[in-house]
């Protein structure tokens, strides 16, 4: 992939998603014993929180603007974070951090606090 080529063209969501996967920016937070999962995609300004259920993609959720405006608005099927998480699973390229269920709320609050602090 020549960088010159990319600079001339708009980077597509698919490319952005694959870049995130290649940079190992996808993290799985796995809770035991429930097996509940929260995924995060490390972004330039803050981490994005993704809930991804491979058996039911309509249950997926992402904390980014693209998701809220374009995915829920019906103009695109998924934001690049959801795409990145899907690709990461397919390619088995992500890091897993295991937590206990007791830590679920605290972690969620921390992630959401981080996200809301970046919304102006
Ligand atoms: Zn997103």
């Amino acid at each position: 992939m020549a960088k010159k080529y990319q600079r001339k063209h708009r980077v597509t969501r698919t490319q952005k998603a694959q870049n995130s996967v290649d940079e190992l920016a996808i993290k799985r937070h796995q809770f035991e014993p429930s097996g509940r999962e929260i995924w995060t995609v490390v972004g330039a300004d803050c981490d994005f929180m993704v809930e991804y259920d491979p058996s039911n993609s309509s249950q997926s959720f992402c904390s980014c603007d693209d998701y809220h405006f374009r995915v829920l608005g019906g103009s695109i099927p998924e934001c690049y974070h959801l795409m990145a998480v899907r690709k990461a699973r397919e390619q088995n390229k992500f890091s897993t951090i295991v937590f206990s269920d007791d830590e679920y709320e605290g972690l969620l609050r921390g992630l959401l606090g981080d996200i809301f602090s970046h919304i102006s």
Side-chain angles (χ1 to χ4, degrees):
M1 284 277 186
K3 279 192 172 158
K4 265 184 196 163
Y5 180 82
Q6 285 193 355
R7 217 169 283 149
K8 279 184 197 162
H9 297 265
R10 205 169 151 264
V11 179
T12 63
R13 282 191 180 82
T14 312
Q15 281 173 323
K16 260 172 109 172
Q18 188 57 53
N19 290 345
S20 297
V21 174
D22 291 341
E23 288 160 13
L24 299 175
I26 321 297
K27 290 182 197 160
R28 177 171 70 165
H29 306 259
Q30 191 184 325
F31 295 87
E32 299 293 351
S34 69
R36 188 151 43 172
E37 291 178 0
I38 297 176
W39 295 72
T40 54
V41 178
V42 179
D45 300 325
C46 66
D47 293 0
F48 293 96
M49 193 187 92
V50 175
E51 274 187 73
Y52 179 78
D53 184 349
S55 61
N56 187 356
S57 60
S58 65
Q59 290 296 307
S60 299
F61 165 83
C62 180
S63 62
C64 74
D65 286 354
D66 237 17
Y67 181 83
H68 285 282
F69 295 112
R70 296 187 189 87
V71 179
L72 291 181
S75 56
I76 56 168
E78 55 188 2
C79 63
Y80 92 86
H81 308 104
L82 284 172
M83 216 183 268
V85 169
R86 183 165 51 76
K87 283 176 178 294
R89 290 180 75 113
E90 284 167 5
Q91 297 165 24
N92 205 21
K93 268 173 135 176
F94 52 85
S95 47
T96 300
I97 309 158
V98 179
F99 296 89
S100 86
D101 281 335
D102 304 344
E103 295 172 283
Y104 183 79
E105 260 192 56
L107 187 91
L108 207 64
R109 209 171 289 146
L111 282 171
L112 291 175
D114 185 40
I115 288 155
F116 287 131
S117 71
H118 285 86
I119 297 172
S120 50

